Amino acid sequence: MSQALRAIPSSGEAIPALGLGTWQAFDVAAPARRGPQRDVLRRFVELGGRVVDSSPMYGAAEGAVGDLAADLGVRDSLWVATKVWTTGAAPGVAQMERSLQLLRGKRLDLLQVHNLVDVQTHLKTLRAWKDGGRIRYLGVTHYSASGHDALERIMRSEPLDFVQLNYSLAEPEAERRLLPLARDRGIAVLVNRPLAQGALVSRVRGRTLPSWAGEIDCTSWAQLCLKWILAHPAVTCVIPATSRVPHLEDNMQAGVGRLPDAAARERITTLF
Ligand SMILES: NC(=O)c1ccc[n+]([C@@H]2O[C@H](COP(=O)([O-])OP(=O)(O)OC[C@H]3O[C@@H](n4cnc5c(N)ncnc54)[C@H](OP(=O)(O)O)[C@@H]3O)[C@@H](O)[C@H]2O)c1
């Protein structure tokens, strides 16, 4: 079964709904120690994955993704998102140039202002880079409900292709205002922290999956968490991070098959 695709509202381009985060999981500087990440990236592409999210904030992750993708010969099949995370226009440009180099692209698919740091300055640069064809989409990110008011102001006032935000069974706040707003304004949504950094799976460890999980093609707790997110119509792509192939295979399975309806979503909520 192939991975479900979702359209980016600003262009209509379809991308797989199940992506890959790289915070911590891909922060490995020494090439000789990148075996697990190499296996994860190879399997991700084999299973139909394309969207990879990184940031200069994630230590060696951008370099690891770029090197491994080139080495595996999969760079062209990836849809790569990264971020700018600094203050000032010139440092922002320098950081973005370095990201392009590390991620081995002539251009990047998506560049986001990380945690809204110096957002107005970088949005100007991102617009110029988009006009010049060096990035295809621009956006902003945050990781916490404490940043949602600021995210909302930017979503209302700036033309954005993407917003990246935290949304999960443990952190559902975005569904109150931000997800409906993203739909209204035609902004694609990348979901970070979908497993609450693994805490959601820890909460249910050792418990038996309910028998009705099979009705929505779920064979694990992680898939229930990820499908609960993907069932929200505003969500474009969810980006769980892992450095383990069994977890990657588990997560990718959430990108295929049936999704929970409103009643099943409610039932999932009561389990966590
Ligand atoms: N401000 C921002 O822009 C921002 C903030 C936060 C995150 N992000 C992005 O969003 C991505 C995802 O968020 P996150 O990494 O914070 O958290 P997450 O994806 O919710 O959780 C990752 C953790 O879950 C574990 N895990 C993954 N799949 C699993 C499975 N099937 N079963 C059990 N455990 C599993 C991983 O451990 P193993 O490695 O052992 O599998 C890892 O510890 C980040 O990597 C980053 O790309 C962006």
Side-chain angles (χ1 to χ4, degrees):
M1 227 184 298
S2 52
Q3 289 287 323
L5 302 176
R6 299 260 166 112
I8 298 167
S10 67
S11 68
E13 178 188 1
I15 54 173
L18 220 301
L20 181 64
T22 62
W23 181 54
Q24 295 183 321
F26 274 68
D27 180 10
V28 183
R33 295 186 50 236
R34 289 174 178 162
Q37 289 72 22
R38 185 189 163 88
D39 293 344
V40 163
L41 193 61
R42 188 184 54 227
R43 195 74 186 114
F44 177 65
V45 173
E46 279 170 6
L47 291 172
R50 291 186 63 211
V51 178
V52 178
D53 177 75
S54 197
S55 171
M57 188 200 184
Y58 302 163
E62 286 181 311
V65 170
D67 293 353
L68 293 170
D71 203 36
L72 290 164
V74 301
R75 178 61 184 87
D76 289 346
S77 67
L78 296 183
W79 193 102
V80 177
T82 194
K83 310 187 186 91
V84 55
W85 183 65
T86 185
T87 47
V93 168
Q95 195 176 67
M96 287 160 56
E97 294 283 5
R98 180 152 171 76
S99 294
L100 266 170
Q101 234 174 31
L102 290 170
L103 288 162
R104 314 275 190 112
K106 285 193 193 68
R107 59 181 187 167
L108 292 169
D109 293 293
L110 169 62
L111 237 157
Q112 309 153 97
V113 183
H114 198 146
N115 290 351
L116 300 174
V117 175
D118 204 0
V119 62
Q120 294 299 346
T121 301
H122 298 314
L123 279 178
K124 253 185 236 142
T125 309
L126 293 183
R127 267 184 222 113
W129 276 45
K130 188 178 165 185
D131 290 344
R134 303 193 74 194
I135 59 172
R136 300 178 60 228
Y137 301 101
L138 58 82
V140 296
T141 80
H142 211 280
Y143 68 100
S144 148
S146 66
H148 286 187
D149 287 349
L151 265 190
E152 182 178 354
R153 281 194 293 277
I154 298 284
M155 289 168 71
R156 287 191 187 282
S157 60
E158 301 288 340
L160 300 173
D161 298 303
F162 275 84
V163 63
Q164 183 185 140
L165 44 75
N166 58 312
Y167 180 53
S168 72
L169 284 154
E171 299 173 344
E173 295 87 350
E175 69 191 9
R176 265 189 255 136
R177 293 193 323 274
L178 296 190
L179 293 179
L181 180 61
R183 272 204 110 185
D184 287 352
R185 298 212 20 112
I187 303 171
V189 177
L190 283 188
V191 172
N192 64 39
R193 297 173 51 86
L195 302 173
Q197 280 182 252
L200 278 166
V201 186
S202 301
R203 270 190 211 177
V204 290
R205 186 155 293 135
R207 277 170 48 193
T208 309
L209 211 58
S211 56
W212 50 263
E215 292 166 21
I216 49 170
D217 302 312
C218 283
T219 57
S220 75
W221 290 103
Q223 289 165 29
L224 278 181
C225 295
L226 296 172
K227 285 206 172 196
W228 181 87
I229 294 168
L230 287 171
H232 194 293
V235 171
T236 310
C237 178
V238 58
I239 48 171
T242 185
S243 53
R244 299 172 205 247
V245 170
H247 285 173
L248 186 274
E249 290 175 338
D250 181 5
N251 298 343
M252 294 304 283
Q253 198 55 34
V256 303
R258 291 165 288 187
L259 286 174
D261 60 14
R265 264 187 123 225
E266 197 50 47
R267 262 188 292 173
I268 294 170
T269 308
T270 64
L271 296 171
F272 285 86

